[in-house]
Amino acid sequence: MADVQAYRHDYTVQAYVEDVVTPAAATPEAKIEELGRSDWGPAPFAQADLKNMLRETMLAFGLSIQSIWERQLRTYLIGCASELRPGEPVAAKLEKADWPELCKWFRKLRGIDLEVFPSFPMLDTLQLLGNASRHGDGKSANELALRHPELWPVIPPLPEGFGVSPPLPPSVSRMEISVDWLRDFAKAIAAFWSDAEYIYNESIERKDPHLEAKLIRHRAERSWLPQVPD
């Protein structure tokens, strides 16, 4: 039932990006462009304030997407545990589990490593982004900067005598998350749930003709064919 109940997870997160995030980002982006064309004296200062506000807004959206994903995964694993390990205190452990522990529990409960899913690199990056957005500079932000330095604007070093250059690793306060990045995170989440659904359908022992025909088509179309867990 955990697999059945996850059937709308992909739609939820993608609709959130397209129907909530994209329109919300479009308004300040349009104002920033308008101020860039304006001959109003204070326009550069107002534009800078809007850019800072948009940067914080996009970080908040990144954190919200990560929260949606983690809640979906945690709920899914708790549902799996209630069916596969009834009577064991697994749910209490899953409620407190961090990202590495959730990955381990996925392997224990589903018989396949979360890390082998093609979407895992983006999902792992999303976890780093969520931690950095929530806690600021630190271990997750440093790792994120190593993996994806393109998330920070390139600022050339200051000439000698003109002050101190920005610190390395770069600060979360200067990170710029675009709508395209958030859309890619949503696509990775949707891809994961699509793969999980495929594994579930393949694991059904007695398949009706409609499902078997669907799986034949999917086997031919998919770029990744996971091993069906026991």
Side-chain angles (χ1 to χ4, degrees):
M1 285 304 299
D3 287 281
V4 174
Q5 292 169 354
Y7 83 104
R8 295 284 283 176
H9 285 350
D10 56 345
Y11 170 80
T12 298
V13 69
Q14 289 188 301
Y16 176 72
V17 171
E18 296 305 327
D19 298 338
V20 178
V21 175
T22 301
T27 299
E29 286 174 347
K31 290 182 178 180
I32 289 169
E33 291 182 6
E34 181 181 349
L35 287 168
R37 298 188 300 266
S38 174
D39 56 2
W40 178 49
F45 303 100
Q47 187 185 51
D49 289 341
L50 269 176
K51 286 182 177 179
N52 287 332
M53 183 274 290
L54 179 60
R55 184 181 299 111
E56 291 294 335
T57 299
M58 301 309 286
L59 283 174
F61 278 137
L63 175 57
S64 65
I65 291 171
Q66 185 271 326
S67 297
I68 291 171
W69 151 245
E70 184 174 316
R71 187 168 60 253
Q72 288 178 343
L73 179 63
R74 196 184 305 274
T75 301
Y76 171 76
L77 291 176
I78 290 173
C80 291
S82 67
E83 295 184 61
L84 300 174
R85 298 193 177 189
E88 296 183 28
V90 177
K93 296 178 181 178
L94 286 167
E95 289 172 356
K96 300 177 181 179
D98 59 13
W99 174 239
E101 291 172 331
L102 289 175
C103 292
K104 292 178 182 178
W105 274 110
F106 189 88
R107 175 67 178 86
K108 292 177 182 178
L109 293 170
R110 303 308 294 133
I112 184 172
D113 290 323
L114 193 62
E115 290 84 350
V116 304
F117 283 70
S119 54
F120 181 80
M122 280 298 289
L123 297 175
D124 197 42
T125 297
L126 177 60
Q127 188 68 25
L128 292 174
L129 175 63
N131 289 340
S133 300
R134 182 181 291 108
H135 302 297
D137 296 344
K139 182 178 178 181
S140 293
N142 296 347
E143 180 63 26
L144 189 60
L146 288 174
R147 295 188 193 182
H148 297 285
E150 68 272 20
L151 290 174
W152 279 262
V154 177
I155 300 178
L158 295 173
E160 187 176 352
F162 281 81
V164 180
S165 297
L168 292 176
S171 174
V172 172
S173 63
R174 295 194 301 108
M175 183 165 42
E176 296 183 353
I177 305 297
S178 66
V179 172
D180 286 339
W181 266 97
L182 299 182
R183 188 174 287 117
D184 286 344
F185 286 132
K187 288 179 180 177
I189 296 170
F192 167 81
W193 289 118
S194 176
D195 289 335
E197 180 186 16
Y198 173 80
I199 293 173
Y200 166 69
N201 287 336
E202 284 283 18
S203 68
I204 297 174
E205 293 184 2
R206 300 181 63 180
K207 303 177 180 66
D208 63 46
H210 175 74
L211 176 58
E212 188 59 61
K214 178 181 178 180
L215 286 171
I216 291 173
R217 185 173 67 256
H218 284 184
R219 291 175 198 133
E221 295 173 349
R222 294 181 62 84
S223 59
W224 181 62
L225 292 173
Q227 181 180 356
V228 179
D230 294 335

